[in-house]
Every structure is written in C-alpha cells, then in structure tokens.
Amino acid sequence: MSAHFDVSKISFFGLDEWSVGVCAWRGCCIEVFARAEHSIADCLRTLAGAGMPLAKEALNPFAGNRIKALRTCIAEQDFGGHGKAALKRIEEWERIYQVRAPLAHAEIKATAQGISVSHITFDGKAETRHPAKSYTRLEMLEILANIEGAQKLLHHQLGQIKALALKKRPSPGSSPG
C-alpha cells in the first residue's frame, strides 16, 4: 500500500496538537522511503526479467545492499546517457538515504520550535548515542521535500532504465547473432 499525501494538510503552523503533526511528518518521510524501495525492487525485477546479470545482493533483505546491486548492474550495462544519469540519481538517493535510520528508529520528541531527534546505533559490539539534533518546523518541511524530490527523480530515471532493459531483451523465438 502506498499512501499519497498532501504535505499542506499536516498542521505545521496551526494551533492544534503539534505531536500529532510530528507523527504525521515522520510517517510521510517513511512513506517516501518505501516508495523508493519499491522503485528499486521493480527495476531489479525488470532487469532480471530482461536477462541482465544481477549480484546476489539484489535479493538482500537490506535496502542499502539492493541499491548497491542495482548500481553495479547499471554501471556494467550500456544504457547510454540514461545509465550515467541513473547512477547520479542513485548516488543522490544514497546520500538522502542516510537520514532514514534516524527518522525510522530514533526517539523523536515534539518541541515548541519543531523536533528533537535522539538516535542510538549499534555495531554488534557497542552502542553509540549520537548527540541530539533539533530541527525547526521549516527544516522539517525541507527534509521531507528533499527526500521526496530525490525519490521522484530516482523513480523517473529508473523508469528509463527499465524501458531500455526491456528493449534489449531478446524477443521469444529469436536466434542469437
């Protein structure tokens, strides 16, 4: 399920319950990350169906590894300028993706000015408590806009890659060279 939303309906500047607005904003951010993951999975599925070689990481349970497999496949194939553009969009998405873990897993508290984000990471041996970060309501909107903008650009560019992959696929019954 994909819930498309209108950011203007989140009460960022109203006088109602701000903590509900914070939860809605967080949900919107996570929804956009989910859209990107579906675009990546769909592209990987299309590339596999077109007979293009994919690394075993294409089916990895971790989204970061799946996008690495996609990047590798695109880099190894000839998609012309679309391949280079897709690699650029993937690079941009990987940069944006770094905010996903804190948004999904951190403790987020509503403040009078916006939010406070306290994130803890684990490396298998130790826990790291990262310094709390504060964001204003305006910065929250900018974060969501950046995530959504990168997701849309990635989605559209992967659509070009899928279309070119389907054109390259040998037609049934055709003989090789």
Side-chain angles (χ1 to χ4, degrees), residues 152-163:
K152 285 179 180 179
L153 291 172
L154 177 68
H155 175 77
H156 293 305
Q157 196 59 49
L158 293 182
Q160 295 295 324
I161 296 299
K162 292 187 316 185

Side-chain angles (χ1 to χ4, degrees), residues 114-130:
I115 58 172
S116 173
V117 179
S118 299
H119 187 54
I120 301 169
T121 57
F122 303 89
D123 66 5
K125 296 178 184 176
E127 169 185 305
T128 302
R129 291 183 178 268
H130 300 278

Side-chain angles (χ1 to χ4, degrees), residues 11 15 32 45 54 61-62 95 103 105-107 112 134 147 150 155-157 161 172 176:
S11 183
L15 299 174
V32 177
R45 192 178 310 110
L54 295 173
F62 299 106
R95 184 182 50 77
L103 287 174
H105 305 293
E107 179 181 37
S134 295
I147 295 168
H155 175 77
H156 293 305
Q157 196 59 49
I161 296 299

Side-chain angles (χ1 to χ4, degrees), residues 1-20:
M1 178 180 154
S2 184
H4 293 272
F5 51 85
D6 181 354
V7 173
S8 67
K9 292 184 180 172
I10 302 172
S11 183
F12 273 80
F13 301 103
L15 299 174
D16 58 348
E17 185 60 41
W18 173 231
S19 62
V20 175

